[in-house]
């Protein structure tokens, strides 16, 4: 019924209006003008957090709703003090727009409403994924001015969105001109001699439909004048004269 009786009177638990009527059954009497008893919420004891969504892309926004309740579970419409929103771990790039947060940093974040003097319920987890690919750079490993015939070189691409969040799983296409023998998608064996153009490009949707491509030219050489030996043959055993 929302209240309890005590030796000294009534204690309201549910915040609302009650009608209090007195009557005497033994005398057949009843009060025809009940009194109104209004029970208001008590001071805020607990704060909860709600998110408009639990997953966004970098650059997206999420609405945060903070609510306060008293010790009896009644919502407190105007708690004393102001709500504060904590984000853990603190993102490097975050815009606070009133009750809305704009995340520019990708990652997993805990969003929690707090209020001075009240206990905070567990926060909500928000997943922020990187946006569409916007930048592409590449390097070579090992990075050398000249590669010897037989060396293996790896193309190392770095793809990021417009906020510089890395996108490790971006779809990529690797090419070499002329073609080189491959060990996987990005590792190439340098043979034969010559100059080669190595290229990596993003294969899929990009930010503003940009064509993302990076390239590097390499030189493959023997690393010397290219002298060969006819006698003895390679791997042949010879006996040196004594003395």
């Amino acid at each position: 019924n929302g209240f309890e009786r005590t030796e000294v009177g009534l204690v309201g638990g549910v915040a609302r209006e009650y009608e209090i009527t007195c009557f005497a059954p033994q005398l057949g009497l009843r009060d025809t003008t009940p009194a109104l008893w209004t029970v208001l919420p008590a001071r805020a004891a607990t704060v909860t957090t709600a998110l408009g969504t639990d997953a966004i892309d970098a650059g997206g926004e999420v609405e945060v709703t903070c609510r306060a309740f008293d010790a009896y579970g009644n919502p407190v419409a105007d708690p004393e003090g102001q709500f504060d929103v904590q984000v853990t771990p603190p993102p490097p790039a975050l815009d606070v727009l009133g009750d809305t947060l704009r995340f520019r940093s990708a990652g997993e974040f805990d969003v929690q409403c707090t209020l001075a003097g009240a206990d905070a319920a567990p926060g909500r987890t928000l997943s922020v994924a990187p946006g569409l690919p916007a930048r592409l750079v590449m390097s070579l490993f090992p990075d050398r001015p000249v590669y010897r015939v037989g060396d293996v070189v790896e193309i190392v691409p770095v793809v990021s969105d417009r906020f510089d969040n890395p996108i490790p799983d971006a779809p990529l296409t690797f090419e070499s001109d002329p073609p080189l023998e491959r060990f996987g998608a990005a590792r190439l064996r340098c043979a034969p001699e010559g100059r080669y153009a190595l290229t990596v490009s993003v294969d899929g949707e990009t930010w503003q439909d940009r064509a993302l491509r990076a390239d590097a030219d390499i030189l493959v050489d023997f690393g010397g004048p290219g002298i060969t030996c006819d006698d003895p043959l390679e791997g042949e055993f010879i006996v040196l004269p004594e003395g």
Side-chain angles (χ1 to χ4, degrees):
N1 53 13
F3 64 92
E4 62 176 326
R5 299 177 186 270
T6 67
E7 294 181 357
V8 296
L10 303 175
V11 177
V14 177
R16 66 185 182 189
E17 283 194 343
Y18 298 86
E19 286 187 354
I20 307 298
T21 302
C22 294
F23 60 95
Q26 297 85 352
L27 302 176
L29 299 177
R30 181 183 181 89
D31 186 359
T32 58
T33 58
L36 290 179
W37 178 39
T38 302
V39 177
L40 300 175
R43 184 174 180 176
T46 306
V47 178
T48 63
T49 307
L51 300 179
T53 180
D54 58 4
I56 60 173
D57 291 337
E61 299 177 353
V62 60
E63 184 177 358
V64 183
T65 302
C66 300
R67 299 184 66 190
F69 298 86
D70 66 13
Y72 299 95
N74 298 301
V76 181
D78 297 308
E80 298 179 8
Q82 294 184 341
F83 292 112
D84 186 25
V85 178
Q86 297 182 353
V87 181
T88 308
L94 175 67
D95 301 320
V96 181
L97 311 171
D99 296 333
T100 300
L101 302 180
R102 178 187 297 143
F103 285 78
R104 289 175 285 143
S105 300
E108 294 277 334
F109 302 96
D110 181 78
V111 182
Q112 184 183 50
C113 295
T114 62
L115 179 67
D119 294 331
R124 300 297 180 183
T125 300
L126 177 69
S127 299
V128 183
L132 291 174
R135 300 182 182 90
L136 169 64
V137 296
M138 68 173 285
S139 59
L140 301 179
F141 180 80
D143 188 7
R144 298 171 181 167
V146 180
Y147 295 86
R148 293 192 176 188
V149 171
D151 284 349
V152 174
V153 59
E154 181 178 3
I155 301 174
V156 183
V158 176
V159 183
S160 57
D161 65 12
R162 60 193 174 109
F163 304 109
D164 293 327
N165 295 302
I167 309 175
D169 56 351
L172 300 171
T173 299
F174 298 89
E175 297 177 346
S176 65
D177 185 23
L180 290 172
E181 181 183 358
R182 297 193 180 192
F183 296 89
R187 301 179 73 236
L188 308 172
R189 182 174 180 273
C190 298
E193 292 180 279
R195 292 188 177 274
Y196 296 85
L198 308 184
T199 303
V200 59
S201 57
V202 175
D203 182 15
E205 187 180 4
T206 62
W207 183 62
Q208 295 183 336
D209 294 326
R210 294 181 177 181
L212 299 181
R213 175 188 174 102
D215 56 80
D217 293 332
I218 64 171
L219 174 63
V220 178
D221 199 353
F222 275 108
I227 299 175
T228 59
C229 182
D230 294 329
D231 186 27
L233 298 176
E234 182 178 358
E236 182 179 354
F237 287 96
I238 61 173
V239 179
L240 295 178
E242 295 183 359

